[in-house]
Amino acid sequence: MRIDRYAEKVYAGVLGKMIGVFYGRPIEGWPYEKIRERFGMVDHFVAEDLGMPLHVADDDLSGTFTFYNAFEDYSLSALGCEEFGKTWLNYLIEDKTVFWWGGLGRSTEHTAYLRLKSGIKAPKSGSMELNGRAAAEQIGAQIFIDAIPLTFAGDIEKARKYTEMQAKVSHDGVAVESACFWAGMEAAAFRERNLDALLEENLSYVESSQLLEILREIISFCKDEPDFITARAYLEKRWGYDKFPGNCHVIPNTALMLTTLLLSKDSFRDSMKMCVSGGWDTDCNGANLGCLNGIRLGLDALTEEFDFRAPIADRFYNISSRGEACVTDAVQQTKRIVSVHNQIFQTEYPVDEHRYSFAYRGAVQGFIPCPVRGGKTLLNNPEGRGLAITLQEGKEGFASLPVMWQREDVYGGYCMLGSPVLYETQKVCVHLKAIGERIRFRFYVVYYDFDDLRQVAESEEYEADLAGDTYVWRVPALGGKCLDRFGIALTGKVNNGVQIASIDFIGAPDHFCINGSLRNCDLGHANMQLQAFTSSAREFDLDDRHTFTISNHEDTGLVTIGTEDFRDYQVSCQAVPYLHQAFGLVIRSRGHRKYYALLLKEHDKAQLIRQDGDERLVLAECSCPYKELISYTLTLKAQGSHISASVGQKVLLTAQDTRYDRGGCGFLICEGTFMADDFQIAAQEPYSSHMESNTTDNTRIS
């Protein structure tokens, strides 16, 4: 089925979900009475009013776009409920990512994770039989659904089918049926705007008599167009939280969502105001409803009555074991979804390959006037053809975007965990042209020094003309510092500026090295260099005698850094083993259960392995005697399909394998501890990049 303006509708749906999360998150859990007393109707983003950041980590976003990895890791023909469960195990880090880790029998998702971890496969992991009705029917089944109907646009049956598979990893009963109902609504919204028609078609698919009766009663009630206060009182009386077990049952929230959808009609703003002002699970409800209305009403609806987009600037955090996925935005996630849709349906909707392509109307992908350097700049992108940055006053202005999670956004109960998307000695490739007349500009990075103070490193000065050019800048060596932001500095006249067509971060760093102490002497804890790693090891910290200590008391823990831009490169360190079952280095990781690794184990053996979920394939092994508390140089190298490993100066193991062609690197520890110094990453030949192979002769490199 060909969908008119499909990619833009996906983008509007992703933005709608983000808006709902950030609109509702600050008052999540507030009693309805408290919301009314403080705000009356919530008619704007209230995070600042409550002294909290807007861009916080949140399960609705992290879960939705983390579990979507299943569609990229498995073919559709091989994808079932069990594979969604495996996706959980690969991309979740216990007690850290995505969920409220509230304990067995208390947190539905934590309970399901523990079932999966113990070997119980999905869908039994989320079954009512195993976990009880209260846990099985909480709201979590439907808060992670939206990327699925965005993929199966117009196809209610497939949207419901794959939503059910995903939902049954952790839920059962009416919670799964409610998730399928909303997934069908979102899928059908790509081709049907009219609410009556949309509802009638989707009601015909509902299999739960309990849910169907509630939905039809609400539709009948709303035909009289009651005011919001009357409607909210009706919901409390009929389906309040006190009528159902657990902390956050699905029925009250679904009832509120449908009521506000019907009362708000075709107003995106009214739907957000009513839905979030109604209380209960404010961010979850706002997110699902925002996604549905983003698809149904279109991109312009998000700014018609109130500019929901500007404060968000497209960006959000996706917290998972894929550390490089943490700092992301609506455009990048839209391109993921459109790519999967193209693969499934053999369609050819355009998908720009650049990291930052600003491909949709109004997209800024995290760029704002730089909060670190100041200056007055205006950013806009009315046609989706590139980001325009213009000077508003004075002779100089700065605009930047985050390449690492922002310390100012650490807030609340969800862990902020992730790695930078840009590193020292990595190449930045930017295609831009001047606006107005020729203008001078510089690239820059903001980074954290040893005391976690923000500092700036700049490129040389360039001059842009109206014809446009491609510029390649290698970020300078900074001693392994954590990069915080990437930006562009403009020098010229008011209303002149640049239009950026694309930005890419190319390949692995030429030389990235961390050594010495990572202690922030003023604060007494590890500095941002350590926090740039994504750890599933139980303990990952600085050490008094070494740079790192890595420890895990059960199974296998990984500590990774880097991105999918890393392809052909090597990673090395000075490793000092202590008590352990196995330890070593990993390379080309995708999550913490998909990677290549060099393992030293049993004090006399070295192995080169490929890990894929529960499947471990030994690619090569040899005898390698070693002792505890002795330092060894470990090197793991990936070049195309060739993987090699060295201990000391000698290459001990080599293998050919094509399963993983990119990804980050780091440490591995199994049931024990080791220490590490002199951690290094270095790009290797063959070095290939689509962007580099297509740069023109006038590309400028500094």
Side-chain angles (χ1 to χ4, degrees):
M1 176 187 297
R2 183 76 186 177
I3 303 292
D4 183 45
R5 302 176 78 174
Y6 168 64
E8 184 178 284
K9 289 180 179 179
V10 173
Y11 178 55
V14 173
L15 280 174
K17 183 173 182 71
M18 293 167 59
I19 289 165
V21 168
F22 295 132
Y23 207 80
R25 176 64 197 280
I27 56 173
E28 182 182 17
W30 282 31
Y32 169 64
E33 294 75 17
K34 182 178 179 180
I35 296 172
R36 283 200 57 77
E37 179 182 346
R38 176 66 188 269
F39 298 107
M41 293 292 285
V42 181
D43 62 358
H44 63 287
F45 293 106
V46 298
E48 186 176 355
D49 299 351
L50 299 175
M52 62 180 69
L54 181 65
H55 292 92
V56 294
D58 189 88
D59 57 340
D60 296 79
L61 294 170
S62 293
T64 297
F65 296 102
T66 293
F67 300 149
Y68 194 70
N69 284 308
F71 288 93
E72 297 168 327
D73 290 349
Y74 300 97
S75 66
L76 200 65
S77 61
L79 182 58
C81 192
E82 185 174 327
E83 285 66 40
F84 277 108
K86 291 177 181 178
T87 302
W88 276 44
L89 290 173
N90 185 39
Y91 296 108
L92 293 175
I93 299 178
E94 188 172 2
D95 295 329
K96 291 183 179 180
T97 63
V98 181
F99 303 139
W100 168 53
W101 297 87
L104 180 68
R106 184 164 177 254
S107 162
T108 299
E109 291 77 17
H110 193 176
T111 300
Y113 177 85
L114 291 171
R115 302 303 191 198
L116 292 167
K117 183 182 175 184
S118 71
I120 297 170
K121 300 183 185 303
K124 190 174 181 181
S125 56
S127 67
M128 194 180 299
E129 174 189 5
L130 196 61
N131 300 332
R133 184 170 184 176
E137 293 189 341
Q138 300 304 296
I139 196 176
Q142 73 189 36
I143 72 177
F144 305 135
I145 66 167
D146 303 282
I148 296 176
L150 290 173
T151 302
F152 295 100
D155 192 332
I156 295 175
E157 291 184 359
K158 282 192 173 64
R160 288 177 59 92
K161 174 183 176 180
Y162 291 98
T163 293
E164 181 179 6
M165 290 180 187
Q166 176 175 283
K168 282 191 170 182
V169 175
S170 52
H171 289 74
D172 202 352
V174 72
V176 174
E177 186 60 29
S178 184
C180 290
F181 169 73
W182 288 109
M185 290 281 285
E186 291 180 18
F190 278 91
R191 53 175 170 74
E192 181 58 72
R193 179 187 173 104
N194 181 271
L195 271 179
D196 291 337
L198 191 63
L199 282 164
E200 198 55 42
E201 182 178 13
N202 277 277
L203 289 173
S204 68
Y205 287 90
V206 176
E207 297 177 358
S208 164
S209 57
Q210 177 192 17
L211 181 62
L212 185 60
E213 181 180 339
I214 292 169
L215 296 176
R216 289 205 179 278
E217 181 178 328
I218 291 170
I219 292 169
S220 176
F221 172 80
C222 289
K223 284 182 178 178
D224 292 334
E225 299 187 2
D227 62 78
F228 173 73
I229 294 175
T230 300
R232 181 56 177 77
Y234 154 80
L235 292 173
E236 187 72 49
K237 180 179 179 181
R238 293 287 289 128
W239 301 293
Y241 269 7
D242 61 314
K243 313 295 192 303
F244 302 94
N247 295 317
C248 194
H249 198 277
V250 69
I251 290 296
N253 292 289
T254 277
L256 175 61
M257 286 168 60
L258 181 56
T259 301
T260 55
L261 174 65
L262 291 167
L263 296 183
S264 61
K265 298 181 180 178
D266 290 345
S267 168
F268 186 90
R269 185 183 191 187
D270 285 350
S271 71
M272 287 295 98
K273 285 168 58 177
M274 293 183 193
C275 189
V276 170
S277 298
W280 292 329
D281 203 337
T282 49
D283 61 332
C284 298
N285 298 338
N288 286 140
L289 193 57
C291 184
L292 171 60
N293 272 340
I295 301 164
R296 186 175 73 90
L297 302 176
L299 194 58
D300 292 334
L302 310 185
T303 54
E304 276 178 355
E305 302 170 83
F306 176 80
D307 189 355
F308 287 96
R309 296 181 61 181
I312 292 174
D314 284 327
R315 73 178 183 91
F316 69 96
Y317 299 116
N318 182 17
I319 313 296
S320 73
S321 66
R322 283 185 66 194
E324 80 278 4
C326 172
V327 178
T328 189
D329 61 69
V331 174
Q332 293 187 55
Q333 298 306 319
T334 296
K335 291 191 291 187
R336 286 181 72 196
I337 293 167
V338 175
S339 294
V340 171
H341 178 94
N342 282 341
Q343 292 170 13
I344 292 172
F345 293 101
Q346 298 300 298
T347 50
E348 296 181 354
Y349 295 106
V351 180
D352 193 292
E353 296 181 357
H354 302 288
R355 176 179 286 273
Y356 302 101
S357 58
F358 317 105
Y360 310 112
R361 291 184 294 128
V364 298
Q365 292 194 253
F367 264 102
I368 59 173
C370 186
V372 177
R373 304 196 71 182
K376 297 293 185 179
T377 54
L378 177 67
L379 287 72
N380 59 65
N381 179 15
E383 302 298 327
R385 297 177 181 173
L387 178 65
I389 306 174
T390 53
L391 287 166
Q392 293 301 289
E393 63 180 49
K395 295 183 178 180
E396 193 167 46
F398 306 89
S400 66
L401 82 166
V403 296
M404 174 62 169
W405 50 264
Q406 302 293 280
R407 291 184 304 180
E408 296 80 5
D409 292 339
V410 178
Y411 184 91
Y414 293 110
C415 178
M416 186 71 84
L417 184 72
S419 300
V421 296
L422 179 63
Y423 294 83
E424 62 178 68
T425 71
Q426 203 173 8
K427 290 180 181 177
V428 179
C429 181
V430 183
H431 187 84
L432 59 77
K433 65 181 181 180
I435 297 173
E437 59 184 60
R438 299 176 72 92
I439 189 168
R440 298 191 305 278
F441 69 93
R442 305 179 306 281
F443 301 125
Y444 66 90
V445 289
V446 178
Y447 65 93
Y448 291 103
D449 66 16
F450 287 121
D451 296 317
D452 284 347
L453 300 176
R454 287 182 169 105
Q455 307 292 345
V456 175
E458 291 191 328
S459 74
E460 66 180 83
E461 190 168 69
Y462 308 95
E463 188 172 75
D465 59 28
L466 298 177
D469 209 343
T470 300
Y471 301 82
V472 179
W473 175 53
R474 191 182 301 281
V475 179
L478 298 167
K481 306 296 195 307
C482 176
L483 303 190
D484 182 55
R485 303 185 72 86
F486 168 77
I488 183 166
L490 302 176
T491 304
K493 299 177 181 178
V494 173
N495 295 326
N496 289 338
V498 296
Q499 183 171 343
I500 303 175
S502 64
I503 303 173
D504 287 284
F505 305 150
I506 302 174
D510 269 8
H511 183 69
F512 174 81
C513 180
I514 299 178
N515 53 29
S517 174
L518 302 186
R519 187 181 300 279
N520 183 321
C521 295
D522 291 335
L523 301 177
H525 58 63
N527 63 30
M528 287 296 291
Q529 286 179 288
L530 190 99
Q531 295 181 63
F533 288 81
T534 299
S535 174
S536 60
R538 182 61 60 177
E539 300 292 336
F540 174 60
D541 208 343
L542 53 79
D543 186 80
D544 287 337
R545 300 180 64 179
H546 301 278
T547 302
F548 303 104
T549 182
I550 309 103
S551 181
N552 210 57
H553 62 260
E554 62 178 10
D555 301 325
T556 300
L558 264 65
V559 178
T560 55
I561 195 169
T563 76
E564 288 199 344
D565 296 307
F566 292 20
R567 291 177 177 261
D568 298 304
Y569 69 102
Q570 71 175 32
V571 56
S572 62
C573 75
Q574 294 294 125
V576 181
Y578 192 47
L579 178 70
H580 66 279
Q581 192 274 327
F583 75 98
L585 293 173
V586 300
I587 201 167
R588 288 184 177 172
S589 66
R590 179 180 171 88
H592 280 194
R593 285 162 59 91
K594 293 178 180 289
Y595 52 83
Y596 297 114
L598 163 62
L599 296 186
L600 270 62
K601 57 191 300 185
E602 301 169 8
H603 296 89
D604 66 355
K605 186 183 297 183
Q607 291 182 333
L608 187 58
I609 64 117
R610 183 187 76 200
Q611 191 75 35
D612 189 351
D614 292 328
E615 174 193 337
R616 174 169 292 184
L617 177 64
V618 178
L619 300 172
E621 68 177 356
C622 67
S623 174
C624 182
Y626 63 91
K627 298 179 180 180
E628 294 180 357
L629 297 178
I630 301 295
S631 179
Y632 298 90
T633 302
L634 306 185
T635 304
L636 183 57
K637 186 183 298 185
Q639 296 173 284
S641 62
H642 184 76
I643 316 298
S644 63
S646 305
V647 178
Q649 300 302 310
K650 185 178 181 180
V651 177
L652 293 183
L653 302 167
T654 63
Q656 298 285 331
D657 196 81
T658 59
R659 180 69 58 88
Y660 308 126
D661 66 352
R662 68 188 74 185
C665 58
F667 308 111
L668 178 151
I669 182 65
C670 183
E671 297 183 28
T673 294
F674 81 104
M675 289 73 73
D677 298 296
D678 197 24
F679 177 78
Q680 297 191 41
I681 303 169
Q684 301 290 300
E685 296 293 342
Y687 189 85
S688 61
S689 167
H690 172 75
M691 278 305 305
E692 281 200 292
S693 64
N694 284 283
T695 54
T696 59
D697 291 339
N698 62 351
T699 294
R700 304 179 185 180
I701 301 176
S702 71

